[in-house]
Amino acid sequence: MLIPHDTRIALDTVVDLVNTAPESGQDDALADVASLYDFVRSHSVSGVGELSQRDLKAVQGVRTQFAEIFAAPDSRTAAELVNELVAAAGTTPQLTDHDGYDWHVHYFAPGASVADHLAADCGMALAFIVVAGEQERLRRCEAPDCGRAFVDLSRNRSRRYCDSRTCGNRLHVAAYRARRKEAAG
């Protein structure tokens, strides 16, 4: 599956945003305006000025909508959710070549809030996945104590864990130990 650079960045951003939500007993990694500033900086979200509590609440709302797209049972439901999200963001496609990147498309209107920026750009990246017939690539980690979101970009759509070195390895080691214990039994 060939994914353009800007779409890949937006997919990484949406996954990271969804994974800031409090789940499985972890704290909300987007609990205050300072953490929102950190998120915006770490993801090089362009054109963001002063942020407020209102921006934080709006981004948390967008995060919830993205999580619903990851949980959508089928492509029709995912498409409806994406359509609602990008329409509410006032999507305004435009070509740009900022910060050393070649021409790419931004979907947010100039001067858009950070929530609308994320909703438009990341929503369109998710739309790309749905249009390509690849909605099943939007997944949650199968580790029982994890549930983090990820986009399965493996060739055969076989990825099961958010990180094979942590969740995947931990479960494989546990299964190995259980088999050894049973064999020694």
Side-chain angles (χ1 to χ4, degrees), residues 1-15 17 62 65-66 69-70 78-94 104-109 115-135 138 151:
M1 177 172 183
L2 182 62
I3 299 176
H5 174 74
D6 54 320
T7 302
R8 178 59 192 259
I9 289 173
L11 288 171
D12 290 344
T13 300
V14 73
V15 164
L17 181 59
V62 167
Q65 290 176 286
F66 285 143
I69 294 167
F70 272 80
E80 289 170 1
L81 293 167
V82 169
N83 285 340
E84 290 173 21
L85 183 69
V86 297
T91 307
T92 308
Q94 58 186 324
H104 59 282
V105 180
H106 279 187
Y107 294 96
F108 57 92
D116 285 346
H117 179 140
L118 291 169
D121 269 3
C122 295
M124 290 306 296
L126 292 173
F128 175 84
I129 295 295
V130 173
V131 166
E134 303 287 350
Q135 187 252 337
L138 304 177
V151 179

Side-chain angles (χ1 to χ4, degrees), residues 37-150:
Y37 271 115
D38 290 342
F39 183 87
V40 164
R41 269 192 297 276
S42 69
H43 290 84
S44 302
V45 179
S46 61
V48 176
E50 186 83 18
L51 297 173
S52 67
Q53 190 68 28
R54 183 178 178 190
D55 291 308
L56 176 64
K57 292 297 181 198
V59 170
Q60 289 170 334
V62 167
R63 174 181 69 185
T64 299
Q65 290 176 286
F66 285 143
E68 290 172 0
I69 294 167
F70 272 80
D74 54 51
S75 60
R76 179 160 308 280
T77 304
E80 289 170 1
L81 293 167
V82 169
N83 285 340
E84 290 173 21
L85 183 69
V86 297
T91 307
T92 308
Q94 58 186 324
L95 290 169
T96 184
D97 66 343
H98 63 89
D99 298 330
Y101 294 110
D102 278 338
W103 290 106
H104 59 282
V105 180
H106 279 187
Y107 294 96
F108 57 92
S113 70
V114 66
D116 285 346
H117 179 140
L118 291 169
D121 269 3
C122 295
M124 290 306 296
L126 292 173
F128 175 84
I129 295 295
V130 173
V131 166
E134 303 287 350
Q135 187 252 337
E136 74 275 0
R137 290 182 183 271
L138 304 177
R139 299 204 176 145
R140 292 289 189 156
C141 184
E142 291 182 17
D145 59 342
C146 184
R148 291 176 57 87
F150 67 93

